[in-house]
Amino acid sequence: MDHRILSDSDIDMLKRALIHRCKYLGISPDGAAAHTAAGELLEMFQLGWSDERQLATGPIAIPIGNNSH
């Protein structure tokens, strides 16, 4: 995978998408599940996903477990 350099606007959009993804999934934005989601969002973005709404609500794999921390 070719990793492009993220612009400030890319980072801001990914942060917003992560906040919305955490709300969508009902997980803490400070927990391990959010960390996993952030990695998945970054990977999706690197693969060409650039729509904030799709990143926030599209299907991604999150390990099942205690998502509250």
Side-chain angles (χ1 to χ4, degrees), residues 3-50:
H3 296 286
R4 72 180 218 203
I5 296 173
L6 300 175
S7 69
D8 289 342
S9 63
D10 292 337
I11 292 168
D12 289 341
M13 185 272 296
L14 286 166
K15 285 180 182 178
R16 288 190 308 270
L18 179 60
I19 289 167
H20 288 109
R21 167 137 314 262
C22 290
K23 288 179 184 177
Y24 179 74
L25 295 174
I27 60 175
S28 169
D30 300 319
H35 181 78
T36 300
E40 294 285 344
L41 288 179
L42 185 55
E43 186 174 328
M44 291 167 63
F45 184 78
Q46 294 289 352
L47 290 171
W49 292 51
S50 60

